[in-house]
């Protein structure tokens, strides 16, 4: 499949064919799902406005290349009981969701953009295990048990002024995950390259927590992270292909919106994700591979291009 053909006019039967190339251990999906630019590609119904995002999940889950989905809105506030039940209503039982954890647990020091009233103040709930269990883990267990996949703890860049260096961060993670329920699936996503230390990976491995292989502005490419010793730390793999390293979120929005076609193919990113597919297949552990529209211009079509690169079983 050439990139010139990667538009909403792609034959839907081709997606069915490509889905057969993806190993059973591998679950591709996208970072959230409510994009008008996917009309005619993923979505074919008219959803109007009321409850559209929740109802779209039914069609999303039926798209041949999707086996998971990223819930990103949960970073800004824990989903309510009503929201979780709505998701469960429209998703097939067993269709796993990768949920970002409420930022109240992962922000160390508030910025003006995050909370003007508390800008510069240390967050008292940073890595608070009780808050996570009460506000996130237990509600998911009660209202969304059949669709709960990994929880992703996304940490924004921690400045040196925070007093948290690589060793302190790893120690805090060790204390935090020691206090969480053992049957949950957890993953850590970093924004500090210098935190990718042997101690960090050892702590995650101790608690069977996955390192999130992320493609992001100021992080090394996914392939570089994968090459680090013992970077597969959990009983599953998580990756989030967000941005080309060096590019900001705003730059990607301006370049790629409305996300209806591939605007800028990234062969290296695709090869790195194929390596994760091969790793999951070789190790026989599940892999949740999430692709963002801002990676190349259209997440579903990026996934289609990656699927075409996978060598099927003979």
């Amino acid at each position: 499949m050439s990139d010139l053909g990667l538009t909403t006019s792609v034959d839907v039967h081709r997606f069915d064919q490509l889905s057969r190339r993806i190993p059973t251990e591998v679950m591709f999906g996208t970072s959230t799902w409510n994009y008008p630019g996917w009309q005619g590609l993923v979505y074919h119904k008219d959803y109007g406005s009321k409850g559209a995002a929740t109802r779209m999940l039914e069609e999303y889950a039926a798209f041949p290349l999707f086996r998971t989905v990223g819930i990103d809105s949960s970073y800004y506030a824990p989903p309510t009981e009503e929201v979780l039940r709505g998701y469960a209503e429209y998703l097939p039982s067993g269709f796993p969701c990768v949920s970002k954890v409420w930022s109240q647990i992962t922000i160390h020091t508030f910025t003006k953009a995050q909370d003007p009233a508390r800008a510069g103040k240390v967050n008292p709930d940073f890595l608070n295990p009780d808050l996570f269990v009460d506000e996130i883990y237990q509600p998911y267990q009660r209202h969304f048990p059949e669709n709960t996949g990994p929880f992703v703890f996304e940490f924004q860049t921690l400045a040196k002024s925070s007093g948290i260096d690589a060793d302190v961060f790893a120690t805090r993670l060790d204390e935090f995950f020691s206090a969480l329920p053992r049957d949950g699936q957890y993953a850590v996503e970093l924004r500090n390259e210098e935190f990718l230390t042997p101690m960090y990976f050892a702590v995650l491995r101790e608690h069977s927590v996955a390192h999130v292989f992320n493609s992001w502005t100021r992080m090394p490419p996914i392939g570089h992270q994968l090459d680090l010793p013992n970077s597969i730390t959990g009983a599953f793999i998580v990756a989030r292909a967000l941005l080309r390293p060096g590019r900001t979120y705003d730059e990607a929005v301006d370049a790629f919106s409305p996300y209806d076609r591939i605007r800028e193919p990234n062969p290296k990113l695709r090869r790195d994700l194929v390596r994760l597919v091969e790793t999951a297949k070789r190790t026989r552990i599940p892999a949740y591979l999430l692709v963002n529209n801002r990676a190349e211009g259209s997440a579903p079509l990026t996934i289609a291009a990656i699927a075409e690169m996978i060598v099927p079983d003979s």
Side-chain angles (χ1 to χ4, degrees):
M1 182 185 295
S2 69
D3 286 313
L4 293 177
L6 289 180
T7 68
T8 54
S9 62
V10 174
D11 185 348
V12 293
H13 297 296
R14 183 60 176 151
F15 292 132
D16 286 318
Q17 295 172 343
L18 290 174
S19 69
R20 300 188 189 104
R21 290 174 171 258
I22 302 173
T24 55
E25 298 91 350
V26 175
M27 292 161 280
F28 276 106
T30 63
S31 294
T32 197
W33 63 92
N34 185 7
Y35 294 105
W38 292 0
Q39 192 68 29
L41 173 62
V42 175
Y43 304 119
H44 303 277
K45 298 178 182 179
D46 180 6
Y47 289 96
S49 57
K50 186 176 180 180
T54 300
R55 290 184 288 114
M56 291 167 85
L57 281 171
E58 184 174 25
E59 239 187 319
Y60 174 98
F63 189 70
L65 296 175
F66 295 162
R67 298 176 185 172
T68 186
V69 65
I71 300 178
D72 288 2
S73 59
S74 51
Y75 180 76
Y76 304 101
T80 64
E81 173 185 335
E82 179 183 9
V83 167
L84 290 174
R85 286 181 172 176
Y87 291 165
E89 179 182 353
Y90 287 98
L91 285 171
S93 178
F95 189 93
C97 299
V98 180
S99 299
K100 288 171 66 172
V101 170
W102 186 23
S103 62
Q104 185 68 19
I105 294 166
T106 59
I107 289 175
H108 178 269
T109 305
F110 294 106
T111 66
K112 189 173 182 179
Q114 291 162 346
D115 190 335
R118 293 187 287 179
K121 296 182 179 179
V122 173
N123 174 17
D125 289 321
F126 179 65
L127 289 176
N128 181 337
D130 294 332
L131 183 64
F132 170 76
V133 171
D134 293 344
E135 298 294 331
I136 300 167
Y137 182 82
Q138 289 181 348
Y140 269 75
Q141 290 291 102
R142 288 194 297 267
H143 309 298
F144 203 51
E146 299 301 320
N147 301 99
T148 297
F151 291 104
V152 170
F153 295 84
E154 178 191 301
F155 294 89
Q156 298 297 312
T157 303
L158 286 163
K160 292 182 179 179
S161 59
S162 69
I164 296 184
D165 60 14
D167 288 352
V168 172
F169 181 72
T171 299
R172 293 291 301 272
L173 287 182
D174 187 28
E175 296 168 351
F176 177 72
F177 288 116
S178 293
L180 296 194
R182 300 292 294 178
D183 56 351
Q185 289 184 303
Y186 311 120
V188 170
E189 182 172 345
L190 298 179
R191 296 290 190 268
N192 290 73
E193 179 179 358
E194 69 274 19
F195 286 4
L196 295 170
T197 64
M199 182 178 178
Y200 162 75
F201 289 124
V203 166
L204 297 191
R205 192 163 51 253
E206 172 70 20
H207 299 285
S208 196
V209 173
H211 164 69
V212 176
F213 296 93
N214 60 339
S215 179
W216 185 77
T217 310
R218 291 186 296 277
M219 285 291 285
I222 285 174
H224 176 86
Q225 297 176 43
L226 183 58
D227 287 336
L228 294 173
N230 302 309
S231 58
I232 302 294
T233 56
F236 55 93
I237 294 167
V238 180
R240 298 212 311 140
L242 305 173
L243 297 165
R244 181 189 291 267
R247 171 172 282 150
T248 68
Y249 176 87
D250 289 340
E251 289 170 347
V253 170
D254 291 341
F256 298 151
S257 183
Y259 315 122
D260 61 344
R261 66 194 63 229
I262 296 291
R263 304 274 181 174
E264 186 180 297
N266 187 339
K268 178 172 176 51
L269 174 63
R270 295 179 185 182
R271 290 194 300 269
D272 286 348
L273 290 170
V274 170
R275 286 186 61 195
L276 286 176
V277 171
E278 293 169 346
T279 300
K281 185 177 178 180
R282 183 178 66 255
T283 58
R284 298 185 179 182
I285 61 175
Y288 301 85
L289 307 181
L290 299 176
V291 178
N292 195 292
N293 282 324
R294 287 93 187 177
E296 293 189 328
S298 177
L301 297 175
T302 294
I303 293 171
I306 294 167
E308 191 166 63
M309 296 169 64
I310 298 172
V311 178
D313 293 330
S314 56

